[in-house]
Amino acid sequence: MDFHSPRTWADALALKAEHPEAVPIAGGTDVMVELNFNRHRPPALIDISAVPELAQWDRADGHLRVGAGVSYTRLVRELGPRLPGLAMAARTVGSPQIRNRGTVGGNLGSASPAGDAHPPLLAGRASVELASVRGTRLVPVEEFFTGPKRSVLAADELISAFVVRPAPGPEQFCKVGTRNAMVIAVASFAISLDPEHGRVGTGIGSAAPTPRRAAGAEELLEAELSAAGMWERPRPLPDGLLHRFAELVTSAASPIDDVRGSAAYRRHALAIMARRALSWAWADLMRNGNAPCN
Amino acid sequence: MSTLTGPTRESAGAGAHTCDGVGDDARRPDGAQKVAGRFAFSSDLWADGMVWGATVRSPHPRARLVSVDPSEALRLPGVHCVLTHEDVPGKKTFGLEVADQPVLAVGEVRYQGEAVALVAADSPETARRAVAAVRVEYQPLVAVVDPMEAMLPTAEKVHPSGNIVRHFKLRRGDPFGEAPVVVSGEYEVGMQDQAFLGPESGLAVPADDGGVDLQVATQWLHADRRQVAAALGLPEAKVRLALAGVGGAFGAREDVSLQIHLCLLALRTGRPVKMVYSREESFFGHVHRHPARLRYVHGAARDGRLVFVKAEMVFDGGAYMSSTRAVIGNAGTLSVGPYVVPNVSVDAYGLYTNNPPCGAMRGFGAVQACFAYEAQMDRLAEELGMHPVELRSLNAMSQGSLMPTGQVVDSPAPVADLLRRVAQAPLPPPGPTVADVATEGLLPGGMANTTHGEGVVRGTGYAVGFKNVGFSEGYDDYTTVRVVLAAGPDGPVATVHSAGCELGQGLVTVQAQIARSELGVREVVVETADTRVGSAGSSSASRQTYMTAGALREACGQLRAEMLARAAARLGVPEADLSWAHGEVLGPGGDVLGLPELLEPGPLERTVEWRHRPTQEVDPETGQGDAHVQYSFAAHRAVVDVDTELGLVKVVQIDTAQDVGKAINPGAVLGQIHGGTTQGLGLALMEEIQVEAGRVKNPSFTDYLIPTILDVPPMRVQVLELADPHAPYGLRGVGEAPTISSTPAIVAAVRAATGRRLPRVPLRPQDIVGLGEAAGGTDGADGAAGTGGRAGGAHDLTGGVPEPRGPGSGEGGAVP
């Protein structure tokens, strides 16, 4: 197996174009597991961890552009207040050691339906920046995943960054696992509220072939809250609305039975997480008004 | 958080106190190295010119082995050899009790992961590629995977001898006795893995005499040697084993895994050969805890006194025997728990199936039984309107009680006292109800932000359990220790040499402590455990400290006697006028002779082979007999917070009380109790090898979950030291008891929080919220409680092979 260690982004892209079968490796928290379990023997690895641009984040046009190589630990520390939902998800990733090495770029690259970062990225309507020697394109996260561990990433492309607006309002993330830490999600859910524009974002993890939004639930909530003037003057959410929201989140999922949990339990857990996450986010909104977090 | 309570300690040895002697918190010699990552484990072994071994394993749970074609693998550069069963020069099978497992598969494979062929190559990567290049043709056969079906006379046979490895019968009193209050239930225990962190690994080096030297992580060097020598067709003297650094064992290293394979490859290649299993391979490379299905009927008088217990216990032993026979003996003899029960009828079965082989794991048959009988005791308490501790204390065995085997419990059995202690321990403060930074991670769901208090209910549960210490049922169980006492440049040095395996439990520390106390020396060298000395028996069954202490104390006593003789000759006085006081001989006129003078004529050496008191085989029809050496008792109280909507559990606190007879090293005792309790927590809440149609679905630490630090609660430990008059220093084996009652205490607490029966461990979130399938059908169908029942009739669990039961058919329960 060849091992390439580019020092610049241009070199990395050139290598990927030259060796389309090569697998990029950053923190190695997913790739090395695949290698150790002999599930995947790529002909080459491209170690992108020494490319300085990937480890940077900055602001542009009211958006945050976060390099694919920023670790979960740095995400929590440096971007926690601006991206609270993603930071909550980042805190549930693995152990401190894994969070020190693992990256959102790697999470996206693996495209696992259980990736912890995916639901908050969906809820925040983030985009993924893909680059190759041919150029750069921006793909909405919702369109990025095409199946279990599959994405629109072309053979010569690398993930350079994700782009997302700072949280426009309260965000929440919760994840069910059968252990209190270091666990892959049995099911997860993220929500983001944008009181200024009257928008709701959601993300479902581990309950469908890909991470996905619950569009019907978003629309319901947006419509009901606008009709009742609740964005301007937040009042406690009616129980019926919480219930219907949870139902629509559940119906957006298509979970399976597997070694981590049953489909029936996943639906059950999603309904409860959806209800709880919405009520917490709404309580934040009522408490803090609709001041943006950035 | 721990306290040592109990009678004043007897002083060790000849009465004097020695620093870091018996009863002291002597430090482990390997502690700092392990913390710093400098300790050499068996996977770190290295030899110049060594090659790497790897194993070709069956992907099928049962198949006819048609052919093995190594030609493609042999063509790979760097591949030295490919071996099959035809290359095994000696006995083609091995096994701890019965040699029923092929060294390399012959004719048929009987479980997924069975070893079929071996390769040796220049690098691990080449070895892995060679494994993939060995062409094996299989003809899959229908696998026997349902233990209830495997019991039927019509079942396909896994081995020609039939599928029932052992049927243990226990009969005492009147099995048809009536009782006014009867509860029945069906329970299930999933397949737990020992999940040691150091994978199977070793290094075999061919020797000039045609033999082989093997360094390996194991629990029992001499049992390995016997099986390796037989397979190689060599005399045992030509097979020399030494213990390599062991990264945990918990029973999983009692059987041979790669020992024979390593030596076969070394002798074939003429090179040192190293093997290290990957984590995934490790799940296929060692035995697991027997999954079990248990049906119990308890009858009691209205005052709560137990009248009868009837039980049927079915243990799935998988494809090969390993230690199934002994596990069934334990499950059967310990089946009613540490309680006095006048009428008992129990049938315990150990089976062959095409599931993964099961054998020794911490708790060894007692774990499965305790989960069921403690659930039954709670149901009985509920039915009687009694507190669970009150009911247990009322029925608790004590010194002088009779086991259902008829054996007298002839040393302290403080069951009621242990329960009282955990019941009276302070409760934790009420749980956090609003999540904030300070409580993050403390609610069910831990770090994953699943509740801010919604749905959280607290529950408390109790359990007590016990376990036999040492090898039982007439086994000739002994330990050999050699001690040399010699003059050294800085004073006398005692050298202790045994084959007893240090697994992390602290045997090396304890050996030095005993030698210091018994001989009054400061410097003790503990030699690497190896086969240059006689067998130490297994480091298992909570026996090694007990047995090694017996042998070592005896050897030291003989050395003291020899020094008294030397002193008597030197001083010209009768030995009777001399006395020994920590490293010195005191004479009648105030004469003092120290070790340096006594050792002037030369070093002293003694080798002792020591046995615990004998046990008996039990009667095959009634299970009656003095089967056990000693019992170890522990009780737990668990306090849990359950998210009753999501089915997630946070254990808030566990309080433990255990009688250890005598804490040779109190710190190590606490470590055993903390660790054992945690392993029981794992079985309660997460640890299970999931097997479907004979195939393991989760052979990784991604999906076989063991507790993290965030899953482990504060533990208050109370250690009692009630001396067993039959044991060295009065000590009791410590390692297994805390694992046994931890599981049922936690599940009882979850039951208290949810009101659900929860008849199966590990608890899954879907079970806790009522969406799961479980033993005996869905929740609530696992049995019935009632009054006015008979032990016989509708509850009859005896009389031949039982019918297989589909889910949901549940025991009939009480029939008026």
Side-chain angles (χ1 to χ4, degrees), chain A residues 34-235:
Chain A
E34 296 280 302
L35 291 182
N36 285 334
F37 275 85
N38 218 9
R39 288 193 196 116
H40 194 188
R41 308 297 292 173
L45 293 176
I46 301 175
D47 175 13
I48 51 173
S49 62
V51 176
E53 298 96 309
L54 290 180
Q56 291 165 5
W57 62 266
D58 49 41
R59 302 183 58 171
D61 303 332
H63 283 71
L64 290 165
R65 183 185 174 281
V66 183
V70 174
S71 70
Y72 292 109
T73 300
R74 285 185 55 209
L75 201 68
V76 171
R77 196 179 295 150
E78 299 169 26
L79 290 165
R82 294 179 183 86
L83 300 172
L86 189 58
M88 288 167 123
R91 277 189 210 99
T92 75
V93 173
S95 58
Q97 295 89 333
I98 296 292
R99 294 194 287 276
N100 286 341
R101 291 200 58 91
T103 63
V104 173
N107 217 207
L108 287 164
S110 297
S112 161
D116 289 323
H118 304 152
L121 290 176
L122 282 164
R125 295 196 163 81
S127 294
V128 189
E129 189 185 284
L130 307 177
S132 69
V133 290
R134 296 175 286 123
T136 295
R137 60 180 176 141
L138 213 53
V139 178
V141 169
E142 198 188 351
E143 294 164 23
F144 178 76
F145 306 105
T146 55
K149 303 209 167 186
R150 290 200 309 274
S151 69
V152 300
L153 196 64
D156 65 343
E157 281 182 319
L158 292 171
I159 297 168
S160 47
F162 66 91
V163 178
V164 65
R165 276 200 308 157
E171 292 188 339
Q172 286 288 339
F173 170 81
C174 32
K175 154 175 150 181
V176 166
T178 40
R179 164 163 89 177
N180 285 301
M182 281 181 71
V183 68
I184 292 180
V186 173
S188 61
F189 181 73
I191 188 166
S192 177
L193 300 180
D194 179 353
E196 191 187 340
H197 301 95
R199 300 295 305 276
V200 176
T202 57
I204 294 171
S206 269
T210 65
R212 60 165 69 151
R213 285 170 55 204
E218 294 171 1
E219 286 156 20
L220 167 87
L221 200 56
E222 286 168 0
E224 296 274 326
L225 293 173
S226 295
M230 300 256 284
W231 289 113
E232 294 77 22
R233 288 182 298 111
R235 300 182 298 282

Side-chain angles (χ1 to χ4, degrees), chain A residues 33 35-38 41 88 91-92 172-184 258-262 264-265 268-269 272-273 276 279-280, chain B residues 125 128 280 440 445-452 454 643 645-646 648-650 686 690 697-700 702-703 705-706 708 710-711 765-766 769 771:
Chain A
V33 173
L35 291 182
N36 285 334
F37 275 85
N38 218 9
R41 308 297 292 173
M88 288 167 123
R91 277 189 210 99
T92 75
Q172 286 288 339
F173 170 81
C174 32
K175 154 175 150 181
V176 166
T178 40
R179 164 163 89 177
N180 285 301
M182 281 181 71
V183 68
I184 292 180
D258 70 10
V259 72
R260 293 177 195 134
S262 65
Y265 173 75
H268 170 89
I272 289 163
M273 286 192 291
R276 290 183 184 175
S279 63
W280 300 333
Chain B
E125 179 63 30
R128 187 150 64 171
E280 181 175 17
E440 197 171 323
M447 298 302 289
N449 189 40
T450 47
T451 180
H452 295 179
E454 299 93 334
D643 183 335
E645 291 174 8
L646 283 175
L648 303 178
V649 178
K650 173 79 183 177
M686 60 189 82
Q690 299 181 44
K697 294 164 68 187
N698 57 336
S700 76
T702 305
D703 285 313
L705 300 181
I706 56 177
T708 70
L710 272 183
D711 299 284
Q766 57 254 43
V769 300
L771 288 171

Side-chain angles (χ1 to χ4, degrees), chain B residues 645-773:
Chain B
E645 291 174 8
L646 283 175
L648 303 178
V649 178
K650 173 79 183 177
V651 182
V652 175
Q653 182 172 309
I654 299 184
D655 298 292
T656 312
Q658 182 170 342
D659 174 25
V660 304
K662 165 75 184 172
I664 303 294
N665 184 317
V669 163
L670 285 178
Q672 287 292 315
I673 296 174
H674 291 153
T677 300
T678 302
Q679 211 151 15
L681 183 154
L683 178 59
L685 297 177
M686 60 189 82
E687 291 191 38
E688 181 176 12
I689 294 187
Q690 299 181 44
V691 180
E692 196 175 274
R695 288 186 164 83
V696 176
K697 294 164 68 187
N698 57 336
S700 76
F701 280 161
T702 305
D703 285 313
Y704 183 90
L705 300 181
I706 56 177
T708 70
I709 193 69
L710 272 183
D711 299 284
V712 180
M715 297 180 201
R716 265 196 208 85
V717 180
Q718 297 181 67
V719 175
L720 270 68
E721 296 184 279
L722 307 177
D724 176 352
H726 311 287
Y729 303 107
L731 75 82
R732 280 178 202 283
V734 174
E736 292 174 285
T739 304
I740 293 164
S741 44
S742 156
T743 307
I746 290 165
V747 176
V750 178
R751 289 187 187 114
T754 61
R756 294 189 188 277
R757 291 286 183 213
L758 302 175
R760 184 187 194 282
V761 281
L763 299 176
R764 296 167 296 202
Q766 57 254 43
D767 301 331
I768 295 173
V769 300
L771 288 171
E773 313 138 87

Side-chain angles (χ1 to χ4, degrees), chain B residues 601-625:
Chain B
L604 290 169
E605 176 175 338
R606 283 290 182 280
T607 299
V608 165
E609 195 175 278
W610 191 85
R611 286 169 168 75
H612 60 63
R613 56 180 172 157
T615 59
Q616 298 172 345
E617 287 184 45
V618 296
D619 182 284
E621 292 307 313
T622 64
Q624 299 297 297

